[in-house]
Amino acid sequence: MTTVYGAETTTDEILSGVDLAGKRILVTGVSAGLGVETARTLAAHGAAVIGAARDLAKAERATEQVRADAAGGGSLELVELDLASLASVRACADALVADGRPFDLIIANAGVMATPLGKTVDGFETQ
């Protein structure tokens, strides 16, 4: 039988019956919105989630429920990553590679939308 998903489908419904124990997943943008919900449902289904965020204090507050819902060995670890800074991207990538543990999946969720014209520290347009 094929399951039909729609606009009202929740992340828990999509992952119903899926065991992510032993999977290591990087999710960017875990300080708000979709990033937090993505991290929450992955950890709730057993994944070891590495959540990347520009503002770690904001991410800590936003992900309290992620830790509460973690099950079956699921967990959340936060790392600092400011995608508007190539130096931050390099530092985060170097630290993750030096850790030596591979990722099974990377969810590049972080982003901005409909912002005023702006530039990153490296001179790129933020939009």
Side-chain angles (χ1 to χ4, degrees):
M1 177 175 205
T2 302
T3 303
V4 177
Y5 300 113
E8 301 296 318
T9 305
T10 68
T11 55
D12 287 315
E13 289 170 336
I14 290 171
L15 289 180
S16 177
V18 175
D19 180 10
L20 296 175
K23 300 296 181 189
R24 190 162 184 260
I25 302 172
L26 174 68
V27 180
T28 65
V30 297
S31 61
L34 291 173
V36 173
E37 178 58 13
T38 300
R40 187 202 62 76
T41 197
L42 293 171
H45 288 268
V49 178
I50 310 306
R54 173 180 49 224
D55 182 338
L56 286 181
K58 182 179 176 185
E60 284 285 348
R61 291 186 303 273
T63 58
E64 289 176 5
Q65 194 63 46
V66 174
R67 288 183 182 85
D69 287 355
S75 62
L76 173 69
E77 173 188 340
L78 295 176
V79 295
E80 186 173 4
L81 172 61
D82 181 354
L83 292 169
S85 164
L86 294 177
S88 176
V89 172
R90 174 55 57 204
C92 182
D94 287 348
L96 292 172
V97 169
D99 179 79
R101 294 178 292 164
F103 288 100
D104 296 290
L105 182 66
I106 297 174
I107 299 175
N109 163 74
V112 296
M113 177 73 180
T115 61
L117 179 62
K119 301 278 185 178
T120 68
V121 296
D122 300 297
F124 299 101
E125 187 178 341
T126 53
Q127 184 65 22

